[in-house]
Amino acid sequence: MNIFGKLMWFFRQNKRLYIVGLFFLFLTEISQMVSPALIGRFTDQVVSRTLTVENLVFYAGGIFLFALLMYVFRYAWITHIFQGSALLEKTLRQQLFDHYMKMDTTFYQRHRTGDLMAHATNDLSAIQRVASGGILMLVDSVVVIIFTVISMVIVVDWRLTLIGVLPLPLLVLGVRYLSPKMRQAFTSAQEAFSRLSNKSQESIAGVKAIKTLGQEMADVAVFESQVKDTIQINKRVALIDSLFGPMATVIMTISFVIMMTYGGSLVLNDQITIGQLVSFSTYLGLLVWPMFGLGQLFNVLERGNASYIRVQNILSEKSAIIEDEEGVVEQAKGDLNININQFTYPDGDPTKPALHNVEITVKAGETLGIVGRVGAGKTTLIKLLLRQFDGYTGDIRVGDVNIKAYTFNAYLKSIGYVAQENFLFSTTVRDNIRFSDINKNQRDVMLAAKKADFNEDVWSLPDGYDTEVGEQGVSLSGGQKQRLAIARALITDPEILILDDALSAVDALTEKHILGTLKSERREKTTIIAAHRISSVMNADEIIVFDHGEIKERGTHASLIARNGWYAEMYHQQQLATELEDKLSGKGVSDV
Ligand SMILES: Nc1ncnc2c1ncn2[C@@H]1O[C@H](COP(=O)(O)OP(=O)(O)OP(=O)(O)O)[C@@H](O)[C@H]1O
């Protein structure tokens, strides 16, 4: 029951809907009480042969009128109460989605996507049922039981009522016994569903890897065993659920048997009339659904409560990245000063920081190149620039303002970021490019695509800029995806453009072309390029070489070559590899 208390904030917010809804529910129940009384009177007049035509019209008209009123009242309460519950689902869904959007990277490492989806679907539906079916069952059951019992006492006989309803508390005991079992079973069913949906998501996302490694059968077997598991657990839910109904039926049958024996004897002793016994039987019939309702109510409340706790637990998780909502709202602009003493990932080894003593200054309009071996810390530095992690000592400043002092909007809108692998939304090429500002026109979109050397590719797609891409659309090559992502970042002309190995899938000539365009188009703006290919960074104003999270070498291309360290070695190796490739492709051509 305490789920109603937990949802009180919502009922208070929407009290008008619920008061009006409950008022009409009340009227429906009152109207329901009239017909059995009229039927009893009618029966008595039939038995005593005193029924007149006027009386018949009165009873039939009365029953019909109240049926009609019940129809209207029922319509009114259903629309109000169900509207309320839809509103609750919408409010919680919005809260949950806002929360998901605000959470940091570690949140998504802690929670699997399938679980987060299950909270947003199954859990919210279970809570919604509390605010609709739950309220209905509670009020309907309690009010109908009270009204029916009062009507039984007034219209029939208090002794018969007392004995007739005596078995009903058994139902409450039964429900109390079964409810905790139901809650346990339901929680495991939800968990099993989460596991299953995680598994399907992972298998679908990793289907290529599964097929290439010949693991289809093994994966199907794992899935099948999880399905079996889920079915087993759900069977238990169904089993416990199915005990509620028969229990109510058995208890109601006892009441009917009492009515037949004790009620029959009262009629024989002339203490009540046959009509009253008929009324009693009809009233007893009215109690069947509220009894079922009570049984169901506990289920709905248990499920709703378990779901509400899960959703609240998620909502109470705090993001490690806190926005300074009172912070600087002017767009971040100016020189970039990076001064990081130390950064360790939240789950990383504190003795081996991912970054250590990193001091870099990039003047507005300059280009910074970042290179280094695999796992050296290039992407980590970029994650800190993107405010994906805040737990470092030292500071990062843009335009002499700490990046943590900006509002998210002011800071992140100044940044354009392109990763090696980029997510495409299931929409057109045009809308993917103008994703950050859907009001950009075709000219802006095309200009950005041209700068990213992507415009010509778009025209070779089936519907040009209207071509649907993403999961449901045509497949783009790795290089095309990267260039689309570069166009998406360039469309806002960001103050700081960050390319994290974002040219790895394009050929040398295209890379040269894009870098040339960036240099001429972004004279006033800062560009940061992290790459494995030296050719991507060799024209940068400063190049940083990372090793084990520290800066090992720094300078311009010429000075680094002269230094003859890791950078020079990599450069020469890559030069040799390119020359070899050129020779091989030249040979290939002459062979044809
Ligand atoms: N989310 C994370 N949690 C814990 N450790 C991480 C996380 N991401 C990266 N690391 C670790 O931090 C170190 C630096 O990784 P980073 O991704 O910055 O390297 P990188 O230079 O970008 O490598 P690559 O060239 O492969 O992209 C590595 O040891 C890596 O294992």
Side-chain angles (χ1 to χ4, degrees):
M1 282 287 175
N2 64 351
I3 177 71
F4 284 124
K6 289 176 186 164
L7 288 176
M8 204 41 87
W9 61 271
F10 175 79
F11 296 136
R12 265 196 216 113
Q13 257 177 26
N14 296 284
K15 52 179 178 290
R16 201 195 69 82
L17 269 183
Y18 280 92
I19 289 173
V20 175
L22 291 179
F23 173 71
F24 281 109
L25 184 56
F26 222 66
L27 289 183
T28 314
E29 311 305 8
I30 294 176
S31 316
Q32 208 172 337
M33 297 300 125
V34 179
S35 298
L38 292 179
I39 292 171
R41 294 251 181 100
F42 163 80
T43 311
D44 280 340
Q45 292 189 0
V46 171
V47 173
S48 61
R49 298 185 180 278
T50 52
L51 183 70
T52 60
V53 175
E54 289 83 48
N55 282 352
L56 179 64
V57 170
F58 172 76
Y59 294 135
I63 290 170
F64 185 71
L65 178 72
F66 277 95
L68 213 63
L69 281 176
M70 266 164 62
Y71 178 81
V72 176
F73 295 154
R74 194 162 268 157
Y75 174 83
W77 76 249
I78 286 179
T79 45
H80 282 82
I81 288 181
F82 279 82
Q83 198 184 332
S85 75
L87 210 62
L88 173 66
E89 195 177 359
K90 176 179 164 260
T91 311
L92 288 177
R93 183 155 285 150
Q94 196 81 47
Q95 278 180 8
L96 206 59
F97 191 73
D98 285 354
H99 190 68
Y100 285 171
M101 288 293 118
K102 279 195 188 133
M103 290 314 281
D104 59 32
T105 328
T106 49
F107 174 82
Y108 290 98
Q109 281 171 354
R110 275 197 308 277
H111 298 283
R112 295 171 304 178
T113 317
D115 291 341
L116 298 176
M117 303 274 284
H119 295 315
T121 49
N122 289 358
D123 280 339
L124 292 192
S125 308
I127 299 169
Q128 191 241 16
R129 276 197 292 274
V130 172
S132 54
I135 292 270
L136 159 69
M137 286 168 200
L138 175 75
V139 178
D140 200 29
S141 308
V142 173
V143 173
V144 170
I145 291 172
I146 293 174
F147 279 14
T148 311
V149 170
I150 293 174
S151 306
M152 282 168 154
V153 172
I154 297 172
V155 178
V156 189
D157 180 82
W158 69 269
R159 290 160 301 179
L160 183 58
T161 308
L162 192 67
I163 298 175
V165 299
L166 213 56
L168 301 189
L170 280 180
L171 191 77
V172 180
L173 291 180
V175 167
R176 286 207 136 231
Y177 171 74
L178 287 176
S179 281
K181 296 195 183 314
M182 185 67 202
R183 182 179 50 208
Q184 249 175 13
F186 183 68
T187 306
S188 3
Q190 287 286 77
E191 283 165 4
F193 176 78
S194 278
R195 277 198 297 277
L196 196 65
S197 88
N198 273 317
K199 173 72 202 143
S200 13
Q201 211 153 29
E202 196 174 280
S203 295
I204 292 168
V207 71
K208 281 188 204 148
I210 292 170
K211 277 179 182 260
T212 7
L213 297 169
Q215 286 300 304
E216 294 103 306
M217 295 317 286
D219 198 65
V220 168
V222 174
F223 187 75
E224 262 175 24
S225 105
Q226 288 202 358
V227 170
K228 267 192 200 144
D229 228 38
T230 312
I231 290 177
Q232 251 355 80
I233 295 170
N234 274 297
K235 264 187 187 166
R236 188 169 153 68
V237 174
L239 182 85
I240 302 176
D241 204 8
S242 65
L243 291 178
F244 283 95
M247 185 176 67
T249 315
V250 169
I251 293 168
M252 289 312 298
T253 310
I254 300 175
S255 286
F256 272 104
V257 171
I258 292 174
M259 179 206 78
M260 283 161 66
T261 48
Y262 183 59
S265 75
L266 287 178
V267 174
L268 291 177
N269 293 329
D270 287 332
Q271 284 175 316
I272 60 169
T273 63
I274 293 180
Q276 282 176 306
L277 190 63
V278 171
S279 293
F280 190 84
S281 155
T282 317
Y283 282 129
L284 214 49
L286 284 186
L287 286 177
V288 176
W289 280 113
M291 290 300 139
F292 273 93
L294 266 189
Q296 291 300 324
L297 171 69
F298 281 88
N299 283 354
V300 168
L301 298 190
E302 289 298 332
R303 287 177 190 194
N305 195 37
S307 290
Y308 192 76
I309 290 171
R310 266 196 300 273
V311 169
Q312 287 308 314
N313 283 345
I314 285 286
L315 286 175
S316 65
E317 282 195 41
K318 295 259 178 295
S319 171
I321 312 294
I322 309 286
E323 177 175 16
D324 183 354
E325 284 170 12
E326 307 288 301
V328 180
V329 289
E330 285 82 34
Q331 283 251 300
K333 208 173 184 171
D335 297 353
L336 167 67
N337 289 294
I338 301 169
N339 190 353
I340 297 164
N341 299 331
Q342 186 150 316
F343 171 69
T344 309
Y345 279 101
D347 56 350
D349 178 356
T351 60
K352 288 185 197 137
L355 290 179
H356 193 232
N357 286 343
V358 177
E359 281 182 31
I360 307 168
T361 299
V362 193
K363 294 221 172 311
E366 282 187 358
T367 298
L368 172 75
I370 308 174
V371 289
R373 56 183 99 240
V374 168
K378 305 180 289 292
T379 303
T380 304
L381 176 65
I382 289 172
K383 284 179 189 164
L384 301 194
L385 286 174
L386 291 171
R387 289 211 61 194
Q388 288 181 1
F389 294 90
D390 269 356
Y392 51 88
T393 51
D395 58 27
I396 301 175
R397 308 176 86 81
V398 174
D400 214 24
V401 176
N402 192 323
I403 60 170
K404 295 178 190 172
Y406 284 105
T407 59
F408 282 160
N409 203 34
Y411 180 63
L412 294 173
K413 279 244 152 108
S414 291
I415 306 233
Y417 166 68
V418 190
Q420 185 182 5
E421 295 286 335
N422 295 284
F423 186 81
L424 297 190
F425 296 92
S426 292
T427 178
T428 59
V429 170
R430 181 183 301 105
D431 286 353
N432 262 291
I433 293 179
R434 59 180 184 181
F435 183 74
S436 58
D437 183 358
I438 208 69
N439 295 319
K440 295 277 181 196
N441 58 30
Q442 174 65 16
R443 206 181 136 267
D444 301 327
V445 172
M446 252 170 71
L447 213 64
K450 274 187 186 156
K451 286 183 198 166
D453 216 19
F454 185 51
N455 182 46
E456 281 181 23
D457 290 61
V458 180
W459 293 121
S460 66
L461 294 172
D463 298 311
Y465 280 90
D466 288 314
T467 309
E468 295 273 334
V469 288
E471 274 207 350
Q472 286 148 28
V474 301
S475 296
L476 298 183
S477 73
Q480 285 173 328
K481 276 189 201 159
Q482 283 189 339
R483 281 175 290 139
L484 187 156
I486 293 173
R488 177 157 72 192
L490 286 177
I491 198 164
T492 55
D493 200 13
E495 292 300 322
I496 302 175
L497 174 70
I498 302 175
L499 304 181
D500 187 4
D501 222 2
L503 293 165
S504 58
V506 302
D507 60 65
L509 203 67
T510 314
E511 178 191 53
K512 203 170 170 187
H513 198 205
I514 296 173
L515 291 173
T517 315
L518 290 184
K519 197 151 189 77
S520 58
E521 296 280 336
R522 290 181 51 78
R523 279 206 198 93
E524 313 289 312
K525 316 266 164 128
T526 306
T527 305
I528 298 174
I529 306 172
H532 283 121
R533 245 191 336 216
I534 302 289
S535 57
S536 297
V537 296
M538 56 192 279
N539 290 318
D541 297 287
E542 184 176 26
I543 302 160
I544 303 287
V545 180
F546 264 119
D547 191 22
H548 291 99
E550 289 183 280
I551 298 176
K552 273 283 137 78
E553 297 172 28
R554 68 192 309 163
T556 58
H557 176 72
S559 72
L560 287 169
I561 293 292
R563 199 171 185 271
N564 221 5
W566 182 90
Y567 181 89
E569 193 188 333
M570 283 310 288
Y571 177 68
H572 293 311
Q573 268 182 23
Q574 290 180 6
Q575 282 287 100
L576 272 177
T578 316
E579 279 166 25
L580 198 66
E581 237 172 64
D582 287 349
K583 267 192 199 147
L584 284 175
S585 59
K587 183 171 170 278
V589 171
S590 61
D591 277 351
V592 175

